[in-house]
């Protein structure tokens, strides 16, 4: 197995030369950070570029392993998450958690994909009752989300094929133990490989 530094170099080589992050950083900038042995900076820049430029599962696997070797757990989890999205697609939504006074959560949860709440996405069982579906949840641009807060999130359904009917503007409900814990509006649905 390659070491983290070799993996970063190999991942950089997988990027087209015209790949550019939102902040203007390029593969050549990453190579410069690698030359300076700024490994964590190089990893962050590769993630920034890949977040706006489609890349392969292999790319995300390389970054995930590099992050694991550098003991960067959140970065590792993000790279694993993004690899999952390449395989299964992406569902993004704006989630508003209910406050504890509304029957929602009493405390914040970690936003790094560990929470696996149930969702009402419109399915019903044979008797016409609500049939909930499970999806992991990643909070974008924040380490956690608390009662009464709103944030953009990414969802990783346990069974992605059951979520294919959703489209931007649809509203789904998050459940943890009984009543609704939050309400989400779908903002983007992307197929695998995007």
């Amino acid at each position: 197995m390659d070491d983290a530094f070799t993996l970063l170099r190999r991942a950089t080589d997988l990027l087209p030369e015209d790949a550019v992050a939102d902040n203007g950083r390029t593969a050549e900038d990453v190579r410069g950070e690698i030359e300076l042995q700024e490994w964590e900076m190089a990893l962050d820049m590769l993630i920034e570029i890949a977040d706006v430029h489609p890349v392969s599962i292999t790319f995300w696997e390389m970054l995930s392993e590099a992050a694991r070797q550098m003991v960067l757990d959140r970065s590792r989890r993000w790279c694993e998450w993004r690899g999952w999205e390449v395989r299964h697609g992406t569902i993004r939504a704006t989630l508003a958690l209910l406050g504890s006074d509304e029957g929602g959560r009493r405390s914040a949860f970690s936003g790094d994909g560990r929470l696996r709440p149930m969702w009402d996405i419109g399915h019903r069982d044979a008797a016409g009752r609500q049939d909930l579906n499970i999806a992991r949840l990643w909070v974008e641009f924040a380490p956690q989300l608390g009662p009464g807060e709103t944030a953009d999130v990414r969802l990783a359904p346990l069974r992605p094929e059951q979520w294919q009917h959703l489209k931007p503007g649809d509203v789904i409900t998050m459940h943890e133990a009984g009543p609704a814990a939050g309400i989400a509006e779908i903002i983007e649905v992307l197929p695998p490989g995007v």
Side-chain angles (χ1 to χ4, degrees):
M1 176 180 297
D2 290 330
D3 61 35
F5 320 117
T6 301
L7 290 167
L8 293 173
R9 285 187 194 100
R10 288 179 55 210
T12 304
D13 291 342
L14 292 176
L15 292 173
E17 288 304 316
D18 63 346
V20 179
D22 282 339
N23 60 12
R25 299 236 170 107
T26 66
E28 199 53 43
D29 294 323
V30 175
R31 288 184 184 95
E33 293 300 325
I34 290 172
E35 287 297 317
L36 295 172
Q37 298 183 358
E38 293 289 342
W39 311 114
E40 189 172 350
M41 179 64 80
L43 175 67
D44 290 345
M45 290 169 66
L46 285 167
I47 290 170
E48 290 170 356
I49 293 169
D51 279 345
V52 296
H53 185 83
V55 294
S56 67
I57 293 169
T58 301
F59 177 92
W60 288 114
E61 289 170 345
M62 286 179 186
L63 292 193
S64 174
E65 178 58 23
R68 185 193 68 75
Q69 290 181 27
M70 292 189 293
V71 194
L72 299 170
D73 189 55
R74 187 168 176 88
S75 293
R76 176 191 57 80
R77 294 178 69 76
W78 177 243
C79 293
E80 289 172 354
W81 184 280
R82 294 292 281 133
W84 188 94
E85 288 183 344
V86 171
R87 280 190 184 94
H88 302 285
T90 305
I91 298 172
R92 295 182 60 239
T94 301
L95 173 64
L97 285 184
L98 299 177
S100 56
D101 58 328
E102 302 170 287
R105 302 184 120 261
R106 292 189 178 147
S107 61
F109 63 85
S110 175
D112 65 356
R114 296 179 210 203
L115 186 67
R116 297 171 184 253
M118 297 173 290
W119 297 87
D120 179 356
I121 60 172
H123 292 147
R124 299 292 174 248
D125 64 16
R129 293 181 302 247
Q130 184 180 61
D131 191 14
L132 301 177
N133 299 80
I134 298 171
R136 291 183 302 137
L137 186 152
W138 189 286
V139 179
E140 295 184 346
F141 313 114
Q144 63 183 20
L145 189 62
E149 295 179 343
T150 299
D152 288 345
V153 298
R154 298 171 97 91
L155 303 176
L158 182 63
R159 298 182 61 196
E161 70 279 1
Q162 294 183 340
W163 295 62
Q164 291 178 350
H165 66 285
L166 295 175
K167 60 188 180 312
D170 287 348
V171 175
I172 60 176
T173 308
M174 180 179 131
H175 297 264
E176 291 187 87
I183 298 169
E185 181 176 342
I186 305 298
I187 56 177
E188 185 175 33
V189 179
L190 296 173
V194 174

